[in-house]
């Protein structure tokens, strides 16, 4: 599974997710800042469908899913991180 989090620093919902990320010992999450890198912003709108952060891009064997909603993202990360 390949994970990437679209976020920006000033967004409190993103901070909520970012706080959880370091505790995930079994996962690595690539951080994609949509404000400092406009290509991530364009990607999020084009492929995810909405310009809303946080959004988790989940890639499993070539299949991509976009998950919005900080609480859903946190729940998913914790579930997938469980050994
Ligand atoms: N319920 C969402 C709220 C996310 C949210 O409101 N994000 C703001 C930035 S702090 C945003 O991207 N808003 C743009 C929009 O809603 O179109 C969550 O918990 O993730």
């Amino acid at each position: 599974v390949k994970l990437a989090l679209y976020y920006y620093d000033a967004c409190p919902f993103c901070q909520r997710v970012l706080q959880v990320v370091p505790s995930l010992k079994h996962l690595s999450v690539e951080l994609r800042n949509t404000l400092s890198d406009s290509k991530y912003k364009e990607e999020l709108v084009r492929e995810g469908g909405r310009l809303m952060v946080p959004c988790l891009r989940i890639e499993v064997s070539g299949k991509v899913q976009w998950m919005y909603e900080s609480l859903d993202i946190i729940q998913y990360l914790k579930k997938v991180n469980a050994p």
Side-chain angles (χ1 to χ4, degrees):
V1 59
K2 224 175 104 186
L3 302 173
L5 181 71
Y6 291 72
Y7 78 102
Y8 57 77
D9 289 323
C11 164
F13 303 97
C14 299
Q15 290 302 330
R16 208 190 239 178
V17 178
L18 289 168
Q19 270 179 16
V20 171
V21 169
S23 71
L24 305 167
K25 302 296 179 214
H26 306 276
L27 290 182
S28 77
V29 181
E30 191 192 321
L31 299 181
R32 298 184 174 173
N33 189 313
T34 60
L35 282 190
S36 58
D37 197 332
S38 62
K39 91 166 175 263
Y40 289 143
K41 179 172 154 182
E42 288 155 18
E43 212 168 80
L44 177 62
V45 179
R46 190 179 60 238
E47 297 177 33
R50 291 185 68 180
L51 180 53
M52 185 172 87
V53 290
C55 181
L56 186 68
R57 181 184 187 274
I58 304 168
E59 187 176 332
V60 183
S61 28
K63 227 184 115 208
V64 176
Q65 187 195 334
W66 297 81
M67 181 182 282
Y68 290 92
E69 290 303 325
S70 53
L71 295 180
D72 290 345
I73 294 170
I74 289 170
Q75 192 183 35
Y76 171 84
L77 289 174
K78 287 183 171 172
K79 192 186 86 192
V80 173
N81 182 61

